[in-house]
Each structure stands twice: as structure tokens, then as C-alpha cells.
């Protein structure tokens, strides 16, 4: 590890902390802001380093590596599994115009702004049942584009149709454009370290549906 990356970590007692240090090591300079393509490249190089270390030590088990990093302006989330033929840990994202509390019907005022649409009936799974109990908040949608986005291990609202699974061994790139709208792209991960290319690494990107702080390495909510 570079001295800057090593000194940035207060404790190496968790796999997430070690992974974050490896990510910082692959940034050109961890102390300055970087465009999202540089953050994504550093994440891909970190994954490649982890796999190389595993190989050098004869580790052949399945690695489930879901990471989320943010510099306050961009969010990079990856859903990765090695070997590639194995099933990854779950990772979802959702986007909308707003995330607002759903008011009881008795509290709605005639002529007031239309509240977020009611959620679709949840499935019978325990996770959906729990979301239904806690799902007093809903995503609202607008034709103009999304202004909020969530990344989580599992859907956290009662409407499962709001959520999209991040494809296996893909990265998710969330940036805020002019006017406050979000741009959400998906890109297949290339975990072989190499020089940066432009723009956005020259990778094929896929738009979202409906129109650097920390790493989460255990598939939890971020």
C-alpha cells in the first residue's frame, strides 16, 4: 500500500477497511477529487488486486465483493463475484423524483399536491413483509428525471417494482447533472489493471430505468 492509503485507515480489523485501503492505493491522489471514471478504474484495479492476492495464496473459494464508494459528488457501486460462474450477493438500486412520507388518507387535504403513488402490493416474502411495515415512505416519479437514488442489498420500500438489480460483475455510476437531475449508468467491470481511457474508460454504458466515503464490502445497505 502507498503511505497515503495506509495512513488513511484507522483500523485494519475488517475486510471492508482493507478493501478500502486497496481502493485508495489505486487512486492517482486520494487527497483530491476525481471524475467518476477515475473512481471506477480504481475500484476495478482494487478488485483485480484482491483476486491476484487470493490466487497467489491459493484461495479458490467464492468471493462476494459488493462495494459502494462516494466522494460526495459521485457514487460508484459494484456487484462482483469471483469465480464469475458463481452467484453474486444481491445489490439493487432505485431512482425517483423524491422520497416522501406517505400520508394516511385522513391527513390528505383536498386540492393539495398529489402524494406519491401508493406502492404495489408486496410479495409474500419476509423481506417484503418487513418493508410493508416500515414502508411509510415512497418514491415519487416525474417525467423530468430522477433527483434521488438509493443503493441497497435488498429493496427498502414496499414497492418491489421500484428496484432494479445491478447486473452481475457490473458497476453503477451515479452523478448529478446540471439542474439537479441524476445520471445513472451501468458498465461491465474490467478487472484487469490497465491505463485509463476516455471517456468513462471507453466501456459500454447502459442508462438507468425510468427515464469517497467508505466501502461496503459485505452486501449491506449503503
Amino acid at each position: 500500500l502507498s503511505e497515503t492509503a495506509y495512513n488513511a485507515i484507522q483500523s485494519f480489523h475488517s475486510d471492508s477497511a482493507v478493501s478500502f485501503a486497496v481502493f485508495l492505493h489505486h487512486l492517482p491522489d486520494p487527497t483530491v477529487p476525481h471524475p467518476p471514471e477515475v473512481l471506477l478504474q480504481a475500484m476495478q484495479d482494487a478488485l483485480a488486486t484482491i483476486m491476484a492476492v487470493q490466487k497467489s495464496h491459493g484461495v479458490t473459494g467464492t468471493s462476494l465483493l459488493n462495494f459502494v464508494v462516494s466522494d460526495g459528488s459521485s457514487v460508484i457501486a459494484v456487484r462482483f463475484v469471483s469465480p464469475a460462474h458463481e452467484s453474486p450477493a444481491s445489490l439493487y438500486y432505485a431512482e425517483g423524483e423524491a422520497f416522501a412520507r406517505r400520508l394516511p388518507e385522513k391527513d390528505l387535504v383536498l386540492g393539495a399536491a398529489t402524494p406519491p403513488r401508493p406502492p404495489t402490493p408486496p410479495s409474500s416474502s419476509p423481506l417484503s413483509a418487513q418493508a410493508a411495515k416500515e414502508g411509510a415512505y415512497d418514491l415519487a416519479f416525474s417525467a423530468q428525471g430522477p433527483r434521488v437514488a438509493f443503493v441497497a442489498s435488498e429493496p427498502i420500500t414496499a414497492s418491489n417494482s421500484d428496484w432494479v438489480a445491478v447486473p452481475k460483475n457490473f458497476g453503477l455510476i451515479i452523478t448529478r447533472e446540471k439542474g439537479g437531475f441524476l445520471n445513472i449508468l451501468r458498465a461491465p467491470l474490467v478487472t484487469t489493471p490497465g491505463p485509463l481511457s476516455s471517456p468513462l474508460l471507453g466501456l459500454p454504458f447502459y442508462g438507468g430505468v425510468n427515464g469517497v466515503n467508505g466501502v461496503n464490502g459485505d452486501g449491506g445497505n449503503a
Side-chain angles (χ1 to χ4, degrees):
L1 291 175
S2 66
E3 183 176 354
T4 301
Y6 182 85
N7 291 334
I9 307 301
Q10 295 182 351
S11 171
F12 286 88
H13 289 110
S14 72
D15 54 356
S16 294
V18 174
S19 299
F20 188 43
V22 176
F23 166 76
L24 293 177
H25 173 78
H26 285 289
L27 286 174
D29 182 352
T31 65
V32 300
H34 294 289
E37 60 265 30
V38 174
L39 299 179
L40 179 61
Q41 183 67 65
M43 180 59 71
Q44 293 179 125
D45 290 348
L47 291 170
T49 297
I50 293 171
M51 288 190 296
V53 171
Q54 289 176 326
K55 183 177 180 180
S56 68
H57 288 274
V59 177
T60 59
T62 301
S63 293
L64 306 175
L65 301 175
N66 285 4
F67 295 139
V68 179
V69 295
S70 176
D71 61 359
S73 299
S74 304
V75 174
I76 306 295
V78 298
R79 185 188 187 196
F80 184 80
V81 62
S82 177
H85 63 267
E86 297 290 348
S87 297
S90 60
L91 190 67
Y92 294 85
Y93 70 98
E95 58 185 274
E97 196 274 335
F99 189 56
R101 188 173 184 86
R102 184 173 66 251
L103 295 175
E105 290 186 9
K106 64 182 181 63
D107 293 336
L108 296 179
V109 179
L110 186 63
T114 303
R117 61 176 175 79
T120 56
S123 69
S124 58
S125 70
L127 286 173
S128 295
Q130 182 66 22
K133 292 181 181 180
E134 301 176 354
Y137 287 80
D138 293 320
L139 277 169
F141 299 94
S142 168
Q144 292 181 313
R147 291 182 179 272
V148 297
F150 295 89
V151 180
S153 301
E154 302 292 342
I156 59 172
T157 64
S159 181
N160 289 338
S161 62
D162 292 345
W163 295 85
V164 178
V166 178
K168 179 171 73 173
N169 291 358
F170 260 65
L172 189 72
I173 304 95
I174 305 175
T175 57
R176 191 171 296 280
E177 305 297 333
K178 292 182 179 180
F181 296 107
L182 296 180
N183 188 29
I184 302 178
L185 301 173
R186 297 177 293 178
L189 295 171
V190 178
T191 53
T192 301
L196 291 174
S197 57
S198 62
L200 287 175
L201 309 178
L203 296 173
F205 280 83
Y206 307 88
V209 297
N210 300 326
V212 176
N213 295 309
V215 171
N216 178 10
D218 57 5
N221 294 345

